[in-house]
Each structure stands twice: as C-alpha cells, then as structure tokens.
Amino acid sequence: MAAFAVARSRCVLLSGLKAYFKTFGQVKHGVASAAVAQSEVQEQSRRWYSVSHLSVQERIDRKRNAALIGGGQKRIDAQHKRGKLTARERVELLLDKDSFVECDMFVEHRCSDFGMEEDHNKFAGDSVVTGQGRINGRLVYVFSQIMDQAMMVGAPVIGLNDSGGARIQEGVESLAGYADIFLRNVMASGVVPQISLIMGPCAGGAVYSPALTDFTFMVKDTSYLFITGPDVVKSVTNEDVTQEELGGAKTHTAVSGVAHRAFENDIDALLNLRNFFNFLPLSNQDPAPVTECHDPSDRLVPGLDTIVPFETTKAYDMLDIIQGIADEREFFEIMPNYAKNIVVGFARMNGRTVGIVGNQPKVASGCLDINSSVKGARFVRFCDAFNIPILTFVDVPGFLPGTSQEYGGIIRHGAKLLFAFAEATVPKITIITRKAYGGAYDVMSSKHLRGDVNYAWPSAEVAVMGAKGAVQIIFRGKSNQAEQEAEYVEKFANPFPAAVRGFVDDIIVPSTTRKRICRDLEVLASKKQTNPWKKHANIPL
Amino acid sequence: MAAYMITSTLRRVLLVAKHASFQSRCCVASSRVQYSTVYDSNEKTFDKILIANRGEIACRVMKTCKKMGIKTVAVHSDVDASAVHVKMADEAVCVGPAPTNKSYLNMDAIMDAIRKTGSQAVHPGYGFLSENKEFAKRLAAEDVVFIGPDTHAIHAMGDKIESKLLAKAANVNVIPGFDGVVEATRVILCSGGGGKGMRIAWNDDETREGFRLSSQEAASSFGDDRLLIEKFVDNPRHIEIQVLADKHGNALWLNERECSIQRRNQKVVEEAPSTFLDPETRRAMGEQAVQLAKAVQYSSAGTVEFLVDSNKNFYFLEMNTRLQVEHPITECITGLDLVQQMIRVAKGFPLLHKQEDIPINGWAIESRVYAEDPYKSFGLPSIGRLSQYQEPIHLPKVRVDSGIQEGSDISIYYDPMISKLVTYGATRAEALQRMEAALDNYVIRGVTHNIPLLREIITHPRFISGDITTNFLPEEYPEGFKGHQLTSEGRRELVATAAALYVSAQLRSQRFLGNLRVSTTPQEQRQWELCVELEKGSHTVAVSRSGSTFTVEVDGVTVEVSGEWNLASALLPVTINRTPRVLQCLSRDAGGDITLQYLGTQFKVRVLSQLVSTLSAHMPEKVPEDTSSILRSPMPGSVVAVSVKPGDVVAEGQEICVIEAMKMQNSLIAAKAAKVKSVHCKAGETVGEGDLLVQLE
C-alpha cells in the first residue's frame, strides 16, 4: 500500500508559492510539495464562502466540487497548455480505477498577507491533493501528512511534486511546513519506500524532500530541481544558465546524480511509476513481491557462453547478461545515464524482485570511481532495507587511479560501497564474469563480505591485478617480461586460485546462470541474519 | 515432376536399379534435411578435410563430412574463436585477426594450418578463396586436394571476358556483344562474384561514377581492377543451371534455379525449379551448360548462370566454379548431397548418376535471411548481437543452413547473412505456405533483419504467379520497400491482438503470489474500454474476456482472439477469428507501446486506457531533429573518403562521403544545397549506424 500526495498545480500565483498549510488545529503536519494549479475560481463559486444561508450539507458539496476542479477550469487549461496534467488527473492515472480515497479536501491556507486572504486566492484543498489508493491492488499513499499513517500501516509514499517553492507570503510558517515534511521523510526512510516524481518546477527548500526519498524521477522538459533559480545564480555568480541546464531532467540524471530516471511526459512517467511500484515491497516488514511468472526458472541462456570476449581488453555489455538472465528480459534500470560504469536496477527472478548490481565493462572498463561507488552503495542499501535480494555481476579491473579521484576522496566514497555490501543481510549472490582485481574484488559482494553464493564463470580472473601490471612490479627491470606475463596468466588469470580457497563456491557454465540463481534464491528466501545491535551504523558519508 | 523426397532408402534403391521408376514411390518424409548422404564405407575419400571458410557454409560442409566419417578442421579469425563452425569442427586453427584479408584470405596462414593439422583436402566453400587459382595452385604444390575444379577451369571461368569467348566457342548462347554504341551499359568487375561491384549505368555520368566506385571496390576486394562493360539486357530473368562433373569426362545438369529476385544484383529469394522453363528450354540450357563444363574439363559442382528473356531466349552470363549459396534448393528437389558429390569427385571417383536419374521432386524455395534493414535500398547491412535467436526447425520440411546461434555477433567484417531458410513441398504452393509459416516462426532479436521484405515477396501476387524478373523489387516498390500494407481486416486483427495482449499483461501485473496485502475488493475487471493507436490512426476498442479468449470490438466490428498469452515467449501463437496466426511480440512497455511482428512486418501499436488517451492530447509533442541538415551513417562501416570540409558549399545530391560496409561502397549525398558546418568523421575511421558524419548549415 502506498500513500501519495499530489500537488494541485498552482500556476501563476506569485512567484514562489506553495508550501501549503493546513489550517485547522487538529491537523498538525503541513504538507509540502505538490503544487497544482488551483486558481481563480469563477465568479459565482467565489461567493460561496460568504453565503451563510446554505445548509452545512450544501456547503460541503459545493466545497468538494470546487476542490475537484482545483484552481478552476482556467488553471486546468493553463496547466494542460504547458504539457502538464493537473494533480487530480495525475492521481487518477497513477492509481487503480476508483481506488483513490482523498483526505484534507477542505484545507485552505491561512495566509492573510499580500492579498492572499482574498477569496480568489483561496482554494479548497490548498494546492495539494493527498490521500491513499492502490496500484495493481497494493496500497499506496500519495503525499503529505499521510506519511504518518503510511508508516503505521506500512505502505509506500509517492509524492508528485509540481511546486514553485515556499509561499513567500506565508513567511516562516512555510519554512516550518517544509521541516515537518523533511522530518517525516527521514522518519519514514527505511520503513516504507518513498518515491518522488518531479512534474514541474521544484525549487528552494522544497528540493530536499525529494532528495530524502529513495527514488527521484523527473519528467523531461517540464520539471526542474534547483536550490536557487537562474535569476539568483546570475545575480550571485554572474553565470548565465537556463532552467533546463541548471536543473532539468538531463542535468540531474546525467551530471548531478540527483534524479534516478527521467520520463518523456506526465503520462509516461505515471505509467512507468505504476510499473516500477510492482517491484517494491510495501514496507520493511514485507518480503520482496513475487508476481506470476511465465519465464521458466530453468531456462538456459546459450548466448552467455560466448558473451565474454577472448581478449581480456575487449568490452561487452553487462546489460546483455542482465537481460539474458532476468524474467522476460525486463530490467528497470536506476540511474541509467549517471556513472555508467556501474549498472544498478531491479529485475525479477522466477517472479521475485531482485536488485542487480553489475560493473559495466563497456564504460571506463567497468572500473569503480567516486560516482559509481556512491551510486552502487545507495542502491545496495535500499535493497537491504527492503528485503530485496542482491545479485552482483563482477567484471572490475579495480578502482580508478589518478589525482582527481584521490583528491575527490575515492577512499571514503569507495568505502561506502564496501560498507553497504558488508552490512547487507539480504540474500547475496555474486557472479564473477571476468576480472575481479584487487580491492575492488573484495568490495563487489565477495565471499569475504558474507556473500551467500559466489560463482565464477570459466572466464573469471580473481587476482590482485592484471598480468601486465603485476609482472612489471614483480619483475621490475627484468628482460623476459613476456614470458613472466604468460606464467602469471597461466597461474592467476583463471578462476582456480579463488576456487581452491573456497572464495567462489563453484565455477559454472554461463548458460546455466539463470537456473542456478533461481534455485539459490529459493533456498535463500528464508535466510535470516542480523548484525550486532547498534543505534545506527556510521557509514563513511 | 512429382513431389517426393528421396530418402536414403530410396536413393539406395535408385543406385541398385537406376532405371526403376521412382515416380511410383511416394515417400512422405519428415526428415529435416532434404538431401541424402549415402555413405559407402568401401569408398574411401579423405581422413581429414580443412574447410577454408566460416559461417553457414563451413557448417554445411562439416555436416556432410561428419556423415562421411571425415574429420574436419576449421579455420577462424580471432573474433570468430567461439563461432559455431569452430565448435562444430574436430580441430580449429586461428589464422589471423578479423579483417578477411588477414584471416580467411590469408593463404600463408591457411597453408600453415593445413600442414599443422595434416589435412588431406580443402573445401573452400563459396567466396573467400573458392575461386582463387593461386590458392588452388599452392594446394596442388603441396599435394593437398582442392575440393573444386582444376586450376585451369577456375582460371578460364574466373575471367569474365575469357569465359565468354570460351562459351561462344563451345556453342553456348552468349549476350549480344559489347561493341558499338549501347544505350545502357553495365560495368562489371572482371574477377568479382555474387554481383559485387556490378553497376548499371543509364547515362554518361552514371557510367563515370560506376566506373570509379567499381574499380575501387574491385581493388579492395579482389586486387584486380579491370572492368568489363557490356550491353545491359533489360527485364531479364536470372536462371542458373547446376552442373556436376567428374574427372572422367562425365557431366550432369541438376536442373535449374530461378534467382531473379535480387536487390542490387544480389540474390534474395531463389527457387527450384523455375516456373518459367518448359522441359525443352530446361534441357537446352542444361545441355549447353554441360557442353561448357566439358569444354573446360570441368570437375566438381559448378553453376552456369544464364539471363533468360521473356521469349525464353537464354544467354550465358558466367560460370561459378564453386558451390553456390543457393545449392540447398537443388539438393531438395534432386535428393543429392552436393558437398558429398564434390568430395567424391575430388578424390577421383566417377559420378554414380546418369542424367536420367536426376529428378525434379517437388518444389523448394530459399529465402536469404540477412542482417540488414530492408527499408533502406531493400537492405543495408546492420550489425549487432543476436540477443535472442530461434530457428523455425520445429516445423516440417524446413531446412535452415546457418552458422550462428543466440549470442553471436553480426560484425562489420563479414557477410551479413544470418541464414538460408529453405522450405520444401510437393507443390510450389505448399512450399510457399511453409515459407510463410517458417518466416513467422523465426525469432531474430538484436539485429535488424529482412524478414519483412522476404515475407512480402513470397506472398506477393506477382511472385506467386511466377511473373518475375530481376527488376521485380524496383518495379513493385518504386518508392522503396515500406513494409506490409495493412488491409482493414488486417488492421483490425492486429489491433485486437494488441489489445488482448495488453489486457493479459495488465491482469498479470495484478497477480501477486503469497502476498496477503493485496486488495480483495476490486473484483477482476471483465470489460475494458481502450484506445489503440496504429500508424497515425486511432481505434476505439472494447475488450471482454472469458478464459483465454478475448472478444474485441474494434470500431464496432467484433474480432475473437484466443491464445495462451505467455508473456515470456517470443512467439505469440493466436487464433484470430478461427484463423491460426503466429505473431511476435518484440517489446512491450509500461506506457502501452507494443511492437508486434504481424505478417512479417513490425508494427508499433500503442494501447491506452480511455483515460490515458483523453489526457494524451495535452502532452507536448517532442520536435524531432531536422535531418536534412544532418548526415548520419545509414549503416555501420568504415569511412573510405570524405569529400567535403567545413565551409564548403555543397549542391543537393553532391557526394559528401563514402562509407564501405560489407565490402560495398556507399556514396552518401547532401539532401539539400548548403554550406558544410562541421565534419565529424575522417577517412579510415569506423562508424556505427546513426553516427553523425557531417552537419550542414
């Protein structure tokens, strides 16, 4: 079950509007976030606030209707014109038909400065649509203060953000509203999955709510995330930059790593979110979901027998391996355009959700650097928090050398990935497809970090380093290096040294990989492992 | 002619009583291979044969060798180290890096491999060294048998000018000469084969252009840049006669193969026999072919190609002194194993058959399945990794000759052929029907392939009527091939299947196993209101389900679709209004986009709920990039020449650069007159499909 909040789009209203507040005493938490344009209400409907001769029931109905159209038809049209949907349309698309149960429909902002008290600036529901509903029958909360309830019942929270920022007119109250949300995001972290879908501008303090959630998705061309917009940037640093360059979907999915994926438009994003939701467990108390699977678990994948090229310097695409073994070749990749030397994402094995981490030999030889370590670490921790088994495909030549990496702190960032794999107690299955060199071998879910099942393909080479480098060090200045290299290759460039020591459990025929993993996952489904009691671990942030 | 298969038993009968009438013995054979290798253990040929080739033909030769108890040796380039032909062979030797001139054409390395493995004979397959007299000479010098004709026959027939003179002398009809002024000419490489480097020029400019490109191709492919220019016979059929001769002066003709369906002078669909030949013409052509073979003391299998005009006049074109790509269809209708016969003849055994033993049993069709994009000039090469691959060999009377498997790479280094798909039947109609089914059941993923074109050809009314010429493709598709054109009924079938598939997937995504926290309230939906978009058209669709049968109302017409709806399978067998069909689902995503292969062609279908459909109107349209000012590589290959630099002003149609792929040079031209803004490639570079080459202003 999940909870979500959807913002009603608020379009124009003063520049940065948004955080909204609940007025009434009984509701404590403000909801930040989604903004949906609510807007000028038509003349006649504007009047209803003051009409006192109506019965309570009549007033309820009128308010409900007004809330349903949010800011009014004009605002709805304006939102559509920008290629965006209204909050209510978004919720309708995201959730199963007729499953949405809304709450806080009667909330209005209490702001009375700068003309905000005027009726025409007040909208029932105050810019945010919140409630709960179902995705393929499973509960989800959409946004906001419902987060408390989401945590209580154990259901994911989805925020659909389209908000200009704090309602400046509200002053400090809006800041308090943000902090309420941030706290809630932090409290819910690791309890229920939290997903943010950025569907419009999201600036200033508001950006920290998505940043605290587990996954942030964006809509291409219509969504932006930044702390300060281009105008402020220009006045402070004199940099000329567009909204898109500063905080568009491309920037955040490829450069900053803030967002995990981008979609073409509102509809594409919401439908994909439904699809993504099916991979997630409802809470940390629930097992990874198992769906009906038509793909035989003992299917052989003959293409894998030839995928690793003979020359160790030649690249191949790790995605080919992942898609080959996954149910129906389906792989929901997380951060496909960021730190591409590591691949992470979700797939299913015999219907059961798994998290997959793989070095990508196609990009920078699949080495580990700062960005790929951080990307991998965050993903591994999500899987561990939510009972999702982790499959790791290893072809790593080592950590990336160089001053930029050392100055950037590759040591502490690399340690994050190491930390994440080591502390994870979910089932961990590792397949070494080719290189597993040096410290990077240890890091990549090795046997030594409590890997449950560690396999090697016949092409695996577990060693401290590659033949050339090793020989240059061991036999420095000696002439017959080619000969020594051949000897080194013979000795170390194969899976045997690791296998005889029990560092890999078996050397398997690549085409049987899917079959082996499915069988192991079934065995490991009941795995129970606990780390020593601690308040929380101290991961090297 | 009768439609029988000659099984091995029957073949033995034939050997014993050669003149017995086999027409009375009808064999319903279900054997997968439509030829028989009768191995006589007293007839000792070779212990070990090296196959100096790769891919399907290497595998094809090895199959027969295995049946004959002969050990096989494969040669391979480094990138082919795990290729099928290497795995299939008893021994394998690496002969160099990927480029063919360093590996499969590297005679020194191949000679070394022969010595190292102690091979007694070499089968060259087709292409590569198969018609290289130098190679045959070097083998002879080391007492290694070349499984093919003698050097002098290769030499005589390899030269397109000399071969014509010889043919004339042997009383074979030849093309009216190339003296005097002719309106259209063809430029042909002297040592080329398989249509490579052949160009037709209709005017002086094209002649000059053709001359330049052909000589470059000739030099790079064959090291011989002489060209032959002759009168171009318009609207001809290309029909060839398979001959088989031994070293004792015996020669047979094994009937014809119709190879008129070509694109850029390369064959696409072949059949045997031809619908066009009557027995007299067939005999006349066969006898002339045999005369020519005898005139050059030909031994082994060979092919005499003829052009046949609409009046059944036939003219000698050339003789191929090797096993042809399309030999399987001859094997299907005659029951002979041509590779076995070549091996026997090479060892010096006389032919076992007489001309009257050679039957035409049934009909065989061959489709050349290529990794190429049929929407670009009927086929420009594409490359990639075969992420999924299943041959339709579960169907009866289907033969697939291939040298690849799931996971194989189709690279820029070699011929982009995936396989030869051969179907066989008692009648042409039966063979064609099987071909349709075979193409529908053929799963190829990861590379673009030409199955859409193949399936359109074999179901084209003009092809079915047999009224074809070598201009079939340009005549029928003057605007280029655009894929299958849907009829309104076909459209409904496709829309209904897509809708049913969508609903199946939706229902499946609501089924969680062992999860108690799924809502029990929403009862399973029984009715769906959908909107299906296909090729710019939009259809309102209502779906209802009962079991695995969906009743789909498309624009008011009811279509019933039933099937297993296995969402993991590449094949989607369904019954649409009681007609069984096999579709393929190539992709299916969360946004409702489904790609289906229907009647051979891939269609993008978008299935949306009514709600999504309504709201879609508000989604912004993404502006595609203006392609007229951007030149991208239409295929993977290497840049041979770049004719412009930034700042140059080019005219519309002016050559901008030349890309060589699969040994074909392709001249890329400017789509409009403009100034060159930037150049992103240089000569010698390798480029991928879609890579930006040149940008215009």
Side-chain angles (χ1 to χ4, degrees):
Chain A
M1 318 199 149
F4 12 128
V6 176
R8 303 204 157 142
S9 51
R10 132 176 326 236
C11 328
V12 191
L13 291 201
L14 321 190
S15 50
L17 341 161
K18 207 15 139 303
Y20 89 142
F21 271 92
K22 304 229 120 174
T23 347
F24 303 103
Q26 80 263 35
V27 183
K28 276 226 261 10
H29 322 300
V31 173
S33 67
V36 176
Q38 317 264 68
S39 64
E40 295 148 47
V41 178
Q42 315 291 50
E43 186 68 12
Q44 71 272 39
S45 56
R46 208 195 278 171
R47 289 277 70 101
W48 40 263
Y49 298 95
S50 52
V51 179
S52 57
H53 59 267
L54 292 178
S55 73
V56 170
Q57 186 56 49
E58 278 172 322
R59 285 174 62 187
I60 290 172
D61 291 346
R62 295 188 79 156
K63 277 219 180 196
R64 199 184 294 280
N65 284 337
L68 286 175
I69 56 166
Q73 195 57 45
K74 239 176 158 177
R75 288 280 164 88
I76 292 174
D77 291 345
Q79 183 80 348
H80 285 166
K81 222 179 204 146
R82 281 195 298 264
K84 301 201 286 189
L85 301 179
T86 67
R88 245 163 242 293
E89 287 165 347
R90 286 170 177 168
V91 170
E92 215 180 330
L93 276 180
L94 177 66
L95 302 181
D96 293 350
K97 208 175 164 197
D98 302 329
S99 72
F100 184 51
V101 179
E102 187 168 0
C103 54
D104 298 331
M105 212 188 235
F106 299 101
V107 171
E108 290 170 8
H109 69 77
R110 295 175 306 171
C111 182
S112 58
D113 299 323
F114 307 111
M116 290 296 284
E117 78 281 14
E118 299 289 322
D119 278 356
H120 66 83
N121 274 335
K122 289 207 179 209
F123 309 108
D126 194 28
S127 314
V128 178
V129 176
T130 64
Q132 41 99 340
R134 288 176 185 268
I135 294 180
N136 289 319
R138 301 195 308 154
L139 186 65
V140 62
Y141 281 82
V142 180
F143 239 180
S144 89
Q145 77 288 352
I146 316 193
M147 274 161 55
D148 292 341
Q149 202 184 54
M151 278 161 70
M152 272 191 295
V153 300
V157 180
I158 295 176
L160 308 179
N161 305 55
D162 184 354
S163 129
R167 195 174 267 159
I168 296 173
Q169 302 89 332
E170 284 179 353
V172 70
E173 249 188 295
S174 69
L175 300 180
Y178 279 147
D180 276 347
I181 298 293
F182 300 157
L183 178 64
R184 250 155 208 86
N185 285 136
V186 172
M187 290 299 109
S189 182
V191 180
V192 292
Q194 302 181 79
I195 305 164
S196 303
L197 176 54
I198 316 298
M199 311 185 80
C202 184
V207 299
Y208 285 108
S209 175
L212 291 167
T213 59
D214 298 303
F215 297 102
T216 302
F217 299 124
M218 295 181 78
V219 178
K220 287 181 194 167
D221 304 326
T222 51
S223 73
Y224 311 100
L225 274 171
F226 34 66
I227 298 285
T228 49
D231 294 346
V232 180
V233 169
K234 173 79 182 164
S235 67
V236 175
T237 68
N238 204 29
E239 271 177 287
D240 275 315
V241 66
T242 62
Q243 284 202 82
E244 182 63 35
E245 288 163 2
L246 186 62
K250 206 169 171 188
T251 303
H252 286 312
T253 53
V255 183
S256 72
V258 165
H260 296 86
R261 217 164 142 166
F263 300 102
E264 288 306 316
N265 55 43
D266 277 17
I267 292 177
D268 187 46
L270 292 162
L271 295 180
N272 271 287
L273 190 49
R274 278 179 67 86
N275 182 41
F276 175 62
F277 187 76
N278 261 13
F279 283 104
L280 306 180
L282 295 176
S283 76
N284 61 357
Q285 301 294 316
D286 291 275
V290 184
T291 54
E292 184 182 293
C293 172
H294 296 171
D295 204 353
S297 65
D298 59 354
R299 171 169 61 86
L300 295 181
V301 193
L304 298 188
D305 289 335
T306 53
I307 193 164
V308 177
F310 275 76
E311 309 98 283
T312 55
T313 50
K314 232 183 122 188
Y316 59 94
D317 192 347
M318 188 57 87
L319 285 171
D320 285 339
I321 296 181
I322 295 171
Q323 282 162 355
I325 60 134
D327 285 1
E328 297 173 24
R329 310 182 55 81
E330 191 185 357
F331 179 57
F332 190 97
E333 194 174 350
I334 298 293
M335 303 177 100
N337 295 318
Y338 179 77
K340 293 199 243 183
N341 40 347
I342 202 164
V343 174
V344 301
F346 297 99
R348 294 189 183 87
M349 297 297 284
N350 203 14
R352 187 189 311 269
T353 299
V354 292
I356 297 181
V357 180
N359 307 110
Q360 174 58 286
K362 240 177 70 174
V363 180
S365 304
C367 71
L368 288 175
D369 57 7
I370 292 172
N371 292 347
S372 63
S373 299
V374 174
K375 171 178 167 184
R378 179 144 175 88
F379 181 76
V380 167
R381 295 196 98 210
F382 176 83
C383 292
D384 186 44
F386 292 101
N387 314 313
I388 299 172
I390 300 167
L391 308 184
T392 309
F393 289 90
V394 185
D395 186 350
V396 63
F399 282 97
L400 181 64
T403 50
S404 76
Q405 289 291 311
E406 296 291 355
Y407 295 171
I410 180 67
I411 296 175
R412 68 193 169 87
H413 294 295
K416 292 176 186 173
L417 186 57
L418 171 62
F419 197 108
F421 271 123
E423 72 172 343
T425 56
V426 290
K428 290 187 282 191
I429 299 175
T430 307
I431 297 96
I432 301 174
T433 60
R434 189 164 63 178
K435 293 171 205 166
Y437 289 166
Y441 152 71
D442 282 338
V443 169
M444 293 301 294
S445 196
S446 62
K447 198 80 194 160
H448 325 290
L449 301 183
R450 305 191 293 185
D452 295 300
V453 182
N454 292 57
Y455 289 127
W457 281 6
S459 45
E461 312 169 10
V462 183
V464 173
M465 54 168 61
K468 203 163 180 187
V471 168
Q472 273 169 8
I473 295 170
I474 305 173
F475 303 99
R476 184 165 298 169
K478 302 262 172 66
S479 56
N480 55 344
Q481 296 215 341
E483 205 176 290
Q484 307 290 2
E485 235 176 272
E487 192 190 333
Y488 185 94
V489 167
E490 177 67 26
K491 255 197 183 130
F492 295 117
N494 58 62
F496 297 115
V500 296
R501 289 167 178 83
F503 299 164
V504 297
D505 297 290
D506 201 355
I507 302 169
I508 61 170
V509 181
S511 54
T512 63
T513 306
R514 171 175 165 84
K515 188 173 144 185
R516 303 286 291 244
I517 294 174
C518 286
R519 208 174 53 191
D520 294 330
L521 284 172
E522 228 163 274
V523 171
L524 291 167
S526 55
K527 176 186 175 186
K528 287 205 169 56
Q529 186 172 41
T530 32
N531 292 331
W533 186 90
K534 53 187 93 172
K535 187 175 174 195
H536 63 69
N538 189 15
I539 188 167
L541 294 174
Chain B
M1 333 192 187
Y4 319 131
M5 287 207 38
I6 305 196
T7 62
S8 47
T9 335
L10 180 51
R11 170 56 49 198
R12 276 189 202 101
V13 172
L14 281 174
L15 295 177
V16 179
K18 282 182 191 155
H19 301 283
S21 159
F22 51 80
Q23 305 247 338
S24 59
R25 293 161 210 264
C26 177
C27 305
V28 183
S30 61
S31 147
R32 200 171 278 163
V33 181
Q34 273 83 24
Y35 56 92
S36 51
T37 314
V38 184
Y39 173 49
D40 179 354
S41 54
N42 295 322
E43 207 179 76
K44 180 100 183 59
T45 53
F46 303 101
D47 297 323
K48 196 189 266 185
I49 291 179
L50 180 141
I51 295 99
N53 214 305
R54 65 181 299 283
E56 67 89 13
I57 195 61
C59 296
R60 163 69 191 91
V61 172
M62 285 181 207
K63 264 179 209 155
T64 289
C65 288
K66 280 183 198 288
K67 283 187 205 155
M68 296 175 73
I70 300 168
K71 293 250 178 277
T72 54
V73 179
V75 292
H76 63 88
S77 65
D78 52 9
V79 295
D80 271 346
S82 54
V84 178
H85 77 277
V86 174
K87 287 187 200 156
M88 210 170 146
D90 296 302
E91 291 171 68
V93 182
C94 179
V95 288
T100 51
N101 57 356
K102 293 188 178 135
S103 50
Y104 295 103
L105 290 172
N106 181 348
M107 282 190 237
D108 292 337
I110 292 173
M111 292 309 297
D112 280 346
I114 293 166
R115 279 180 227 119
K116 203 159 81 186
T117 56
S119 305
Q120 298 159 338
V122 171
H123 196 298
Y126 53 73
F128 295 134
L129 299 171
S130 62
E131 291 170 287
N132 186 309
K133 50 186 189 282
E134 170 67 22
F135 182 58
K137 264 188 216 152
R138 285 181 69 168
L139 289 177
E142 304 207 12
D143 269 342
V144 177
V145 177
F146 178 77
I147 302 174
D150 295 333
T151 324
H152 68 269
I154 301 178
H155 175 78
M157 292 296 117
D159 190 301
K160 286 186 186 181
I161 298 167
E162 194 179 327
S163 68
K164 288 201 176 169
L165 297 174
L166 267 166
K168 209 167 186 175
N171 286 328
V172 175
N173 307 352
V174 295
I175 293 194
F178 48 88
D179 43 341
V181 179
V182 286
E183 276 164 25
T185 53
R186 15 191 262 156
V187 182
I188 306 176
L189 312 194
C190 280
S191 355
K196 273 183 181 151
M198 216 180 271
R199 283 189 168 75
I200 298 160
W202 297 95
N203 55 41
D204 287 356
D205 279 352
E206 286 182 15
T207 309
R208 266 192 290 277
E209 178 75 1
F211 186 85
R212 183 173 66 86
L213 291 171
S214 290
S215 23
Q216 278 173 18
E217 248 171 65
S220 85
S221 296
F222 306 101
D224 174 358
D225 60 0
R226 287 179 304 149
L227 301 178
L228 168 68
I229 300 176
E230 68 178 15
K231 177 180 175 357
F232 173 66
V233 179
D234 207 0
N235 276 326
R237 282 176 178 252
H238 178 123
I239 298 177
E240 60 191 24
I241 300 283
Q242 174 74 53
V243 294
L244 181 63
D246 64 17
K247 297 185 177 182
H248 307 279
N250 303 311
L252 301 172
W253 47 275
L254 307 184
N255 300 312
E256 78 281 10
R257 290 185 291 255
E258 164 77 71
C259 310
S260 296
I261 303 293
Q262 307 187 344
R263 51 116 178 83
R264 298 195 309 271
N265 293 314
Q266 286 193 289
K267 298 163 191 166
V268 184
V269 175
E270 299 107 337
E271 61 184 309
S274 166
T275 53
F276 189 58
L277 296 193
D278 49 55
E280 292 74 52
T281 317
R282 176 174 297 122
R283 187 175 315 112
M285 288 172 74
E287 280 167 1
Q288 288 200 8
V290 164
Q291 281 163 32
L292 178 62
K294 286 186 173 165
V296 291
Q297 290 102 51
Y298 196 85
S299 68
S300 194
T303 298
V304 181
E305 296 190 344
F306 291 97
L307 284 184
V308 184
D309 71 15
S310 48
N311 299 320
K312 293 189 182 151
N313 298 315
F314 55 91
Y315 307 105
F316 169 75
L317 198 57
E318 61 176 323
M319 180 168 187
N320 296 317
T321 57
R322 58 176 144 103
L323 187 63
Q324 292 281 96
V325 176
E326 59 273 23
H327 75 274
I329 51 176
T330 297
E331 294 184 329
C332 283
I333 62 159
T334 61
L336 265 71
D337 178 339
L338 289 178
V339 174
Q340 182 199 20
Q341 297 306 324
M342 289 176 79
I343 294 172
R344 288 185 65 252
V345 167
K347 183 67 184 179
F349 292 109
L351 295 178
L352 292 173
H353 305 79
K354 296 266 178 279
Q355 188 61 48
E356 57 269 30
D357 299 340
I358 306 303
I360 299 182
N361 279 332
W363 214 284
I365 318 262
E366 174 181 279
S367 293
R368 293 196 192 183
V369 182
Y370 277 106
E372 50 181 36
D373 184 349
Y375 297 92
K376 296 178 187 163
S377 324
F378 300 112
L380 287 188
S382 73
I383 55 166
R385 181 173 180 274
L386 288 167
S387 55
Q388 273 178 291
Y389 183 74
Q390 286 169 30
E391 294 172 352
I393 45 176
H394 57 285
L395 302 176
K397 297 196 179 171
V398 171
R399 166 175 168 181
V400 183
D401 280 21
S402 70
I404 42 109
Q405 60 185 2
E406 188 169 308
S408 293
D409 265 316
I410 309 281
S411 72
I412 58 166
Y413 298 111
Y414 311 114
D415 189 74
M417 190 158 78
I418 296 173
S419 77
K420 302 183 308 206
L421 177 61
V422 180
T423 58
Y424 174 77
T427 60
R428 186 166 184 261
E430 201 179 304
L432 282 173
Q433 207 174 18
R434 293 212 165 100
M435 181 60 77
E436 263 182 61
L439 288 168
D440 285 342
N441 280 277
Y442 206 146
V443 178
I444 304 170
R445 302 279 193 279
V447 295
T448 311
H449 54 77
N450 66 339
I451 283 181
L453 176 64
L454 294 172
R455 202 182 184 287
E456 279 305 291
I457 294 172
I458 60 132
T459 53
H460 195 289
R462 195 176 140 195
F463 179 82
I464 291 172
S465 74
D467 171 26
I468 51 177
T469 72
T470 52
N471 291 327
F472 177 83
L473 289 178
E475 277 168 16
E476 290 304 318
Y477 307 101
E479 307 288 303
F481 179 66
K482 308 269 191 239
H484 178 75
Q485 302 302 308
L486 290 171
T487 59
S488 52
E489 195 194 342
R491 223 180 145 78
R492 278 194 297 272
E493 286 192 2
L494 180 56
V495 166
T497 310
L501 183 66
Y502 171 85
V503 170
S504 305
Q506 291 286 310
L507 288 174
R508 205 263 306 254
S509 66
Q510 293 162 12
R511 286 186 211 126
F512 295 91
L513 309 180
N515 194 327
L516 302 174
R517 299 186 59 203
V518 176
S519 168
T520 49
T521 36
Q523 291 305 313
E524 199 171 84
Q525 216 176 324
R526 299 227 161 263
Q527 280 282 346
W528 292 262
E529 301 291 322
L530 304 172
C531 174
V532 181
E533 293 172 6
L534 167 65
E535 291 179 334
K536 291 176 187 160
S538 177
H539 302 266
T540 309
V541 172
V543 184
S544 60
R545 182 179 77 108
S546 110
S548 59
T549 301
F550 291 86
T551 306
V552 187
E553 226 185 271
V554 184
D555 300 330
V557 180
T558 304
V559 182
E560 199 161 87
V561 195
S562 59
E564 271 182 50
W565 308 108
N566 180 325
L567 298 168
S569 161
L571 294 175
L572 189 65
V574 290
T575 304
I576 308 175
N577 287 341
R578 307 233 173 98
T579 310
R581 290 224 184 270
V582 177
L583 281 78
Q584 296 189 25
C585 178
L586 288 97
S587 68
R588 190 161 49 76
D589 74 14
D593 286 322
I594 300 177
T595 309
L596 287 176
Q597 181 177 314
Y598 171 70
L599 304 179
T601 294
Q602 292 168 16
F603 292 94
K604 284 191 197 317
V605 188
R606 199 152 183 243
V607 185
L608 309 169
S609 67
Q610 285 296 356
L611 175 68
V612 172
S613 165
T614 312
L615 295 177
S616 286
H618 305 305
M619 293 299 102
E621 263 191 53
K622 309 262 158 159
V623 189
E625 80 182 352
D626 174 16
T627 47
S628 69
S629 57
I630 281 175
L631 185 71
R632 293 183 183 279
S633 177
M635 72 210 118
S638 58
V639 181
V640 179
V642 183
S643 336
V644 296
K645 54 184 191 304
D648 286 0
V649 176
V650 292
E652 183 180 334
Q654 186 180 331
E655 178 184 286
I656 289 185
C657 61
V658 179
I659 304 282
E660 181 176 296
M662 318 299 189
K663 299 272 166 229
M664 295 289 289
Q665 296 202 346
N666 301 273
S667 164
L668 304 182
I669 56 171
K672 61 174 188 188
K675 200 164 160 189
V676 177
K677 190 174 173 192
S678 54
V679 175
H680 301 267
C681 61
K682 54 178 188 282
E685 243 173 30
T686 307
V687 292
E689 181 177 342
D691 281 6
L692 180 63
L693 301 176
V694 170
Q695 222 173 336
L696 304 177
E697 272 177 4

